[in-house]
Amino acid sequence: MKDFLTPAQIVAELDKYIIGQHEAKRHVAIALRNRWRRLHAPLDMQQEIVPNNILMIGATGVGKTEIARRLAHLADAPFVKVEASKFTEVGYVGRDVESMVRDLAEQSVSRLRQRRQEEVKAQAAQAVEDIILDALIPPMKAPAGSSGSSLGFGNGSDAGTADAAPTSDQELNERTRERFRQKIRNGELEDRRIEINVAQGAPSVGIMGAPGMMDEATMSGLQDMLGNMLPKKSRKRKVSVAEARKLLLEEEAAKLVDMDEVKEEAIRQAENAGIIFIDEIDKVATSGSGKSGGPDVSRQGVQRDLLPIVEGSAVNTKYGVVNTDHILFIAAGAFHVSKPSDLIPELQGRFPIRVELQSLGKDDFYRILKDPKNALTKQYQALLAAEEVQLDFDDAALLRLAEIAFEVNSEVENIGARRLHTVMSRLLNDLLFDVPDQLPAGTHLTVTPQLVEERLRDMVKNRDLSQYIL
């Protein structure tokens, strides 16, 4: 978490991409800032302060998942998004809920390793330059028993000048290498082909076993252990200097990173600042009658398995044990068929903050089309700008698009802001098809209310029939 990101600033950042849902944004902003506050509290209190997990309730397309996606960018912390409907009870075929913590550890290690490699990129680039130079002009070893003075360096005032004649083959080799080093830095040899050794990853090892005999963590640990036991090979490849730089840079950067230190720090970050977003949690809730709840192993069984994870437990991962006491859990669901009260009481208690997201109206749709940094209108403008075609939208046209999206949602099925994708696709598909064959570069297109009515007339007229179309 960036130190300077206050709750108000977090809400302001979310406002750039998400319209409305102010209450949900406030709760998420407070929860994010509380991660930083806890780490700056007295040590004896840090263990006592537990996160207030959040349950977001709202129809599909109102912004629950979008809030989570933007949260990943704002929270300078390990973050994973999982879907509750993919889990089954421990002992059955499928993913168990502990895998979400293993995913968080994996993401935390990957994120930190990438940062460490960025920090040593300059040092790695120097090592890569030396490897490329050695491939172009191999260094010459000094003859046995020769002293440094025989190389002609530092013997006289003119020995180090560019015009001084080389006094040995080794000095000539060094000067040639320096000239080529300068050429490499100037990009003059990018297309020159050289032969380099490229490390090959260890082959993946598959382990077969009866379902339920070993969990994912054990399976993954065995695969890694067997993979590490196999000898690592390298092979020679003939590539251009530019390709060699790309291939070798990551390899050399990885050699400079202490992975043991990365793993320890990544586990600490996952435990103290990690965030897990559990989507579709309503899919594991059983309805009041219990008949339409589905098999217990993928419903109440999953809920029971979630309890210790959310409450706080130790989970084995291949990087070490992760304690979930201070991981922030945010759950979300539409709850169309079931209700939040259909979750088992113990699980409801683990999500004390309950936020209801509001359904979107015409004004919201209009603002979604116009205001966000990644608004659909701006996306289509960027797509056509790639063909050098300018696309503009009249304000009245955006209002009409919002009205149509709202009407179709009201009378067919409410899928929230996702309906705007349908409406915009129907409106602009013909234009996108005609560019650049019939609408060449330099064309200026304006979407007017008349064009909206003309293109979407059938959609509005036939919306009652759409429920019968497969």
Side-chain angles (χ1 to χ4, degrees), residues 194-219:
I194 57 174
E195 194 174 68
I196 58 170
N197 286 319
V198 180
Q200 287 184 296
S204 59
V205 180
I207 300 176
M208 295 184 66
M213 285 183 63
M214 59 177 75
D215 59 19
E216 286 183 42
T218 308
M219 185 85 73

Side-chain angles (χ1 to χ4, degrees), residues 98-110:
E98 287 189 353
S99 65
M100 68 175 72
V101 182
R102 290 193 284 271
D103 291 344
L104 184 71
E106 187 74 48
Q107 199 270 350
S108 184
V109 169
S110 174

Side-chain angles (χ1 to χ4, degrees), residues 400 404 407-408 456-464:
R400 184 61 187 135
I404 290 171
E407 288 171 17
V408 176
L456 301 180
R457 188 185 301 122
D458 292 341
M459 184 179 182
V460 177
K461 187 185 297 181
N462 298 329
R463 60 178 179 263
D464 293 332

